[in-house]
Amino acid sequence: MTGQSMHRRELLRGLAFGGGLLLAVRFGATASADPGPLVASPEDAAFAPNAFVRIAGDGRVTVIINKAEMGQGVSTALAMIVAEDLDADWKQVGFEFAPADLVYAHPGFGIQMTGGSTSVAGMTPSLQKAGATARAMLVAAAAQKLGVPLLELTTESGSVVHAASKRRLGYGELVADAAKLAVPTDAPVKDRKDYRIVGRSTKRLDTPDKVRGKAQFGIDVTLPGMVIALVARAPVFGGKVRSFRAEKAKAIAGVRDVVQISSGVAVIADRFWAAKRARDLLEIDWDLGAGASTSSEKLRAEYAALAQKPGMVGRRDGDAPSVVEAAGSKAIEALYELPYLAHAPMETLNCTVRLTADACEIWTGTQFQTVDQGAAAAVAGLKSEQVKIHTTFLGGGFGRRANPKADFVVEAVEVAKLAHAPVKVIWTRDDDLRGGYYRPMWTSRMRATLDARGRVEAWVHTIVGQSFMAGTPFEAAFVKNGIDSLSIEGSEDTPYAIPNVQVELHTTNVVVPTLWWRSVGHSHTAFVIESFVDELAARAKADPLEFRREMLKDKPRHRAVLERAAKESGWGTPLPAGRARGIAQHFSFGSYVAIVMDASIERGRPRVHRATVAIDCGRVVNPDTVVAQMQSAVGFGLTTALYSAITLKDGRVDQSNFHDYPMLRIHEMPTVDVHILESNEPSSGVGEPGVPPIAPALGNALFALTKKPIRRLPIRSEDLA
Amino acid sequence: MPIDLEVNGKRVSVDVDPTTPLLWVLREDLALPGTKFGCGAAQCGACTVHVDGASARSCVLPISAVAGKRITTIEGLDGKFGAALMQAWTEQDVPQCGYCQTGQIMSAAVLLKEAAKPTDGDIDACMSGNVCRCATYVRIRSAIHRAAEIASGGGR
Ligand code: FES
Ligand code: FES
């Protein structure tokens, strides 16, 4: 290894880990001892000064995206950040997805992953540095070539310019020389006032391929000699195969084999349809195990009973339980219930694996490369560095493709070990909806008292539900003193100024596998808190907006979004008869969002006319993406509020496809107005923070119409009568 | 027995299980992966193609039922409406994850053919069979209006 390349490696590590707190989580995956050129350069003349950017001889800039593109626009946003500090010509910028390597680790979590709405905030320093470093080297190469002092050179839009002599060199003309230079460690990043890309609405780089059907998703991957597998999984969580008969299945033309794996029985065939028909003909004797007694109705009753008991304390200010108890029948109490939720990404899960004696290649849409890599290596009996992951586009993720257990990857590697050919495991929609890893079911009991002036004096939030992270490698990082911080997020940090606050948690143990789901714990706490605040406001005979403002006096950013959404929605002005507005706000993933929902009830069902959204997510990279994510959050949140529930009877999931796990459709989508607050704070999350306040804002509008609070999701017609 | 059909203007002959849905023949035998699998049950529209010019859910259409028919997929969608839709979709950055979008565009193409200037009601009626989990509906609606404008000569 030459001194220069060693220097480069050190810089790469520095970029990836610099400035971040490394959590003590490791998954057996290690960075390759000698990663070689981290980014394969197809063009010999290409200049790749670091792991995130490559410039070709024709001036094309390729930004290496270490995050999953699942619709949130991250490939464009991250490319914009690099392009800004590189001073690139945006028309010359493209991207490709990074391989699995710890050089691409999340700066905060120490593994390569996409989640927590952290991509822009987390990657900004490294990417600015990557762009600035490349730019500095191009300028140095130009100085040598033109024989002028560095200080006389400037850059603009993909060229180095020597104004005095009116000479200009395109970046492409400089790559060969720049590649020979040492990589500087101190290249200055741009002053924000000089920005011309970041902060302006910019067309997404992935749109042209997506509208032509050319974007490659995991399910589109095809390899020579590839076979297709479908897996019959246990009908009950925790169930195991006792025995199976496959004669009928094997009689289907095109079926190659039927094999048992840890999750069930896999049918391996030449084509999807043969595998599907054969799977339907399998005769499997399942040992269902204890899970067969699980039922959501039973769980609801158990959760409601648990909620009556004191739980583990997640926050204690003052002595809220005593104040509430002393108030006796004057205390206000409500029980809120939320079901299990499936992520239901539009592209069902799938994973393609090519396994040889000393290598495992995986193609899949994943949010969790490092975890998948380590898990695949363990199953394949290989070292992590022998597992290569090709991240494709994700047809939606919402957290499902970031599984600490790497379920869909582990399963595909198990099949590959028995398939003797490259294999693509495809999940059908029923497999996807019944496959577990749901947002947990939650029950919350709220108790509060109001003082003589109608202000909240005491507030007790008792939460009942499964842990997100127990039993995963993340347990140590997230579960402290028996409390999974994700279970109570959004509640333990409620911003409202209340003298006595207590948040309690009962963590239940249920066989149903759970997982983070777009907005994680906030997906339940925001609904409960914001709905209950409206119930309290009603009791205090206060306007829901004023009631919140009063409790947010010391929270300027919360108040600003709330007031903005209210103002833009025309809060307080008359609406046509039969319509009402509901308001909610929530802080999550570093961002502040407030929503006003304008709704009515038509033929016994809610109808949403307009959603007014205000968001403060710090400095914005691509404003149009923020707008798009808020529009998406409204639709996604309304689907949840109106339709989504995974329920179980005798351990079996009731739902199987979009007819019984429905999605909002175009005729139900309201007008959405999005207002982004100007901010000079650091960038914060965008993909998730819009979701939490949607359901309570709708519930509050319906409460205003019917005077009956919405305490259960999804909203049922009987709650509106 | 081979089944003959026309796909994107080309005559093809496929020798597969006649119960195989058209979707999987397109994706696996004809290397046309732009048509997507979302539900397999005519519930989501991700697999929308044109059969003799009409919208069809290819996930529930046995290949035997389309023998001799003219199939158009996203890869072969051209002409005035296809170009207008792709331009409008790009101008407005409609896709998020993008997975449903080819099906959305195929449905919208039939709508434009039938209604040169579709109303919001026309859009609701024609497009409510196409699910978008990313909920890009606001932009789908406005892009259809924009495409209608482009197709009628209002494009730049
Ligand atoms: S895949 Fe055909 S309608 Fe969903
Ligand atoms: S863009 Fe993701 S499902 Fe429509």
Side-chain angles (χ1 to χ4, degrees), chain B residues 23 36-47 57-59:
Chain B
L23 169 66
K36 301 302 188 199
F37 168 71
C39 68
Q43 300 275 340
C44 77
C47 64
R57 304 293 188 233
S58 64
C59 68

Side-chain angles (χ1 to χ4, degrees), chain A residues 285-425:
Chain A
D285 179 21
W286 297 99
D287 171 7
L288 297 178
S293 63
T294 313
S295 112
S296 11
E297 281 310 305
K298 236 168 32 196
L299 286 176
R300 279 184 65 213
E302 284 168 26
Y303 281 23
L306 261 181
Q308 303 304 313
K309 303 192 183 128
M312 299 190 70
V313 176
R315 170 171 170 185
R316 189 200 314 265
D317 295 357
D319 189 356
S322 301
V323 178
V324 167
E325 249 129 66
S329 64
K330 284 218 187 96
I332 302 150
E333 179 168 344
L335 196 76
Y336 294 87
E337 297 176 285
L338 295 93
Y340 287 113
L341 297 176
H343 305 74
M346 206 68 214
E347 177 196 12
T348 57
L349 295 174
N350 59 80
C351 182
T352 302
V353 179
R354 179 159 60 199
L355 193 61
T356 58
D358 54 5
C360 176
E361 243 182 309
I362 296 174
W363 288 258
T364 193
T366 177
Q367 302 174 239
F368 240 33
Q369 289 84 352
T370 307
V371 171
D372 294 341
Q373 193 181 31
V379 174
L382 296 170
K383 296 198 220 67
S384 285
E385 57 266 31
Q386 291 173 298
V387 176
K388 196 169 163 191
I389 298 188
H390 305 267
T391 303
T392 60
F393 279 109
L394 283 65
F398 313 118
R400 182 62 181 90
R401 289 181 155 99
N403 189 343
K405 305 231 168 99
D407 66 328
F408 58 97
V409 174
V410 164
E411 187 181 69
V413 177
E414 280 194 35
V415 176
K417 282 171 80 171
L418 301 168
H420 310 295
V423 62
K424 173 159 64 181
V425 176

Side-chain angles (χ1 to χ4, degrees), chain A residues 207 210 220 277 664-665, chain B residues 17 36 43 93 96 137:
Chain A
T207 295
K210 285 180 175 175
D220 302 330
R277 285 186 63 199
L664 194 84
R665 290 172 185 263
Chain B
D17 171 350
K36 301 302 188 199
Q43 300 275 340
D93 263 348
Q96 291 191 19
Y137 300 125

Side-chain angles (χ1 to χ4, degrees), chain A residues 71-150:
Chain A
Q72 80 282 42
V74 75
S75 44
T76 304
L78 299 187
M80 287 169 71
I81 297 169
V82 172
E84 184 69 71
D85 270 286
L86 177 59
D87 236 348
D89 173 5
W90 180 250
K91 291 194 289 298
Q92 295 268 68
V93 176
F95 72 91
E96 66 185 37
F97 295 119
D101 191 296
L102 282 179
V103 73
Y104 296 112
H106 187 294
F109 303 142
I111 57 167
Q112 188 175 343
M113 57 87 71
T114 308
S117 295
T118 54
S119 296
V120 163
M123 290 310 299
T124 294
S126 310
L127 296 179
Q128 287 175 329
K129 189 103 189 144
T133 303
R135 176 186 168 278
M137 293 168 77
L138 292 162
V139 172
Q144 280 179 4
K145 205 162 185 164
L146 299 174
V148 299
L150 271 180

